[in-house]
Amino acid sequence: MKLPILEDLPEPSGRRVLLRADFNVPLSDAGEIEDDLRIRAALPTIQWLVGRGAHVTACSHLGRPQGKPDPRFSMEPVRARLGELAPGVELLENLRFDPGEEANDPAFVDRLVEGQDLYVDDAFGAAHRAHASIVGPPARLPSAAGRLLAREVEVLTGLLESPARPFVTILGGAKVSDKLGVIRALLAKVDTLLVGGAMCFTFFSAMGHEVGDSLLEADQVDMCRALLKEAGDRILLPSDVTALGPGDDVRQLGRSVPRGWKGLDIGPGTAAEFTDVIDDARTVFWNGPMGVFEDDRFAAGTRTVAEAVATCRGFTVVGGGDSANALARFGLDGEVDHLSTGGGASLELLEHGDLPGLAALRKAPNA
């Protein structure tokens, strides 16, 4: 997928550049930044622009303020940290304080681009949103993908176009309905699809197993049954689970979970089976934890998978979100080849092969 990159911009010296970044950082209850990774991730693009004499104004969303100012989501903590890392770069207030951002209001786009000469999108985590700051400026200004966005697209499209094999995908998380599209898209590409997390119980139900009090999407059972028939042995489901029962009893169970019990992690047998598959892989994509890893009683499955991905000799990609949080929790976030900054965006790109933000860049005046 060819996108205009920084080198495709008109000479930036002396020009004003609007930079759409993803500074949606986690904040503590006291309003302090808990992890500044997303700010630091924008620095290569900022440094390229500033180093060539551009005047950079950054903009971003933060949280979900519902289209109106909310002091809990003020950009002030981000502005302070950005000032330390990139002095002289301006930062607008939270884009989502204005309802025009999520509504893609042309009048809001007008205000964003007023006085700006160039536009750079480095917010991969928001590239799947057709919001004003994402799709509006490329229609008005010479535009480019920043370093982070360009790298994300290069890596993720490479998974679809030319993965080294065996290509193994690991999907977890709560709901199979959230990932049906990407499951279908990846089944045409992968050698093995490992399924963990609470989403496995809907597949179990499709196979005729009881799932007890585990999370079940009853309206997706028929779809899961069809997927299992279509995929054959390319979908590998857990053979055991770690479950919580009456009196806070924790036990390893098979695929059938009795009433009163709730599966909250893959079991040790499954973790070993998944590790064997991951060890042999030459390309790995992981999105979604194997269980409720925030609770130490149900963290073993996610930890084992994270360690297997981290030590895999193949090319390893982790699709942001909870998987990235798990890697950080286990001290493994520096041990994978590519850690995506956009969980939802990475899944949508793999499913659809394109995103609104990317399509907008390809239509820019200089593209």
Side-chain angles (χ1 to χ4, degrees):
M1 180 187 297
K2 183 167 174 56
L3 295 172
I5 58 175
L6 294 176
E7 287 78 5
D8 296 320
L9 289 171
E11 173 56 47
S13 179
R15 297 177 187 261
R16 297 196 64 83
V17 180
L18 179 66
L19 171 66
R20 178 45 161 107
D22 180 7
F23 294 154
N24 187 29
V25 297
L27 297 176
S28 69
D29 291 340
E32 297 174 347
I33 296 173
E34 295 181 327
D35 183 353
D36 67 355
L37 172 64
R38 291 189 173 187
I39 304 174
R40 289 184 283 110
L43 292 180
T45 295
I46 291 172
Q47 290 163 353
W48 189 94
L49 292 167
V50 172
R52 281 157 181 79
H55 304 284
V56 178
T57 299
C59 61
S60 176
H61 70 284
L62 179 62
R64 298 179 181 274
Q66 308 300 321
K68 57 182 181 294
D70 185 330
R72 294 177 301 167
F73 303 114
S74 167
M75 298 302 295
E76 196 51 47
V78 177
R79 185 173 291 110
R81 182 61 177 140
L82 182 64
E84 295 171 355
L85 296 171
V89 173
E90 299 176 44
L91 178 62
L92 302 181
E93 189 46 274
N94 192 333
L95 292 167
R96 291 185 182 174
F97 281 3
D98 192 306
E101 165 66 353
E102 295 186 71
N104 190 19
D105 182 356
F108 184 61
V109 179
D110 290 341
R111 295 197 295 276
L112 282 177
V113 301
E114 184 178 0
Q116 302 293 330
D117 302 305
L118 307 172
Y119 170 76
V120 174
D121 186 354
D122 215 20
F124 178 71
H128 59 314
R129 308 292 190 192
H131 291 173
S133 65
I134 299 293
V135 300
R140 322 280 183 93
L141 300 172
S143 301
R147 293 287 189 247
L148 174 65
L149 179 66
R151 177 59 178 162
E152 292 271 18
V153 172
E154 177 188 5
V155 168
L156 292 166
T157 55
L159 295 182
L160 297 177
E161 295 169 359
S162 56
R165 295 191 178 278
F167 176 19
V168 174
T169 289
I170 312 148
L171 292 179
K175 294 185 177 180
V176 69
S177 58
D178 291 343
K179 295 180 179 173
L180 273 177
V182 77
I183 289 173
R184 284 202 169 281
L186 287 171
L187 275 177
K189 308 288 183 179
V190 303
D191 296 287
T192 307
L193 177 62
L194 308 178
V195 176
M199 60 190 288
C200 75
F201 295 104
T202 303
F203 282 98
F204 286 173
S205 182
M207 297 168 69
H209 296 295
E210 296 295 327
V211 299
D213 296 345
S214 307
L215 183 65
L216 172 67
E217 292 182 279
D219 60 336
Q220 300 296 333
V221 169
D222 289 344
M223 182 63 72
C224 287
R225 188 177 294 117
L227 283 171
L228 289 171
K229 183 177 180 181
E230 173 187 338
D233 60 4
R234 284 185 298 137
I235 292 182
L236 184 60
L237 292 167
S239 57
D240 62 345
V241 298
T242 301
L244 180 66
D248 278 346
D249 190 8
V250 176
R251 293 185 189 175
Q252 269 70 55
L253 303 173
R255 286 176 173 166
S256 292
V257 179
R259 185 177 301 174
W261 289 78
K262 184 174 186 177
L264 293 172
D265 190 16
I266 59 173
T270 299
E273 292 163 7
F274 282 12
T275 294
D276 288 343
V277 175
I278 296 165
D279 282 348
D280 290 337
R282 289 300 170 264
T283 306
V284 175
F285 174 71
W286 175 31
N287 181 279
M290 299 293 99
V292 185
F293 69 92
E294 299 87 352
D295 185 327
D296 287 342
R297 297 174 297 174
F298 309 108
T302 302
R303 179 190 292 274
T304 302
V305 165
E307 290 171 345
V309 172
T311 57
C312 176
R313 292 169 295 167
F315 184 70
T316 52
V317 181
V318 176
D322 289 335
S323 305
N325 294 339
L327 280 175
R329 179 185 177 94
F330 304 134
L332 299 170
D333 43 332
E335 304 300 318
V336 298
D337 293 303
H338 183 76
L339 180 57
S340 177
T341 55
S346 64
L347 291 179
E348 289 206 22
L349 181 55
L350 291 173
E351 178 180 351
H352 301 295
D354 204 358
L355 298 173
L358 309 183
L361 286 174
R362 294 199 304 273
K363 296 176 183 176
N366 61 309

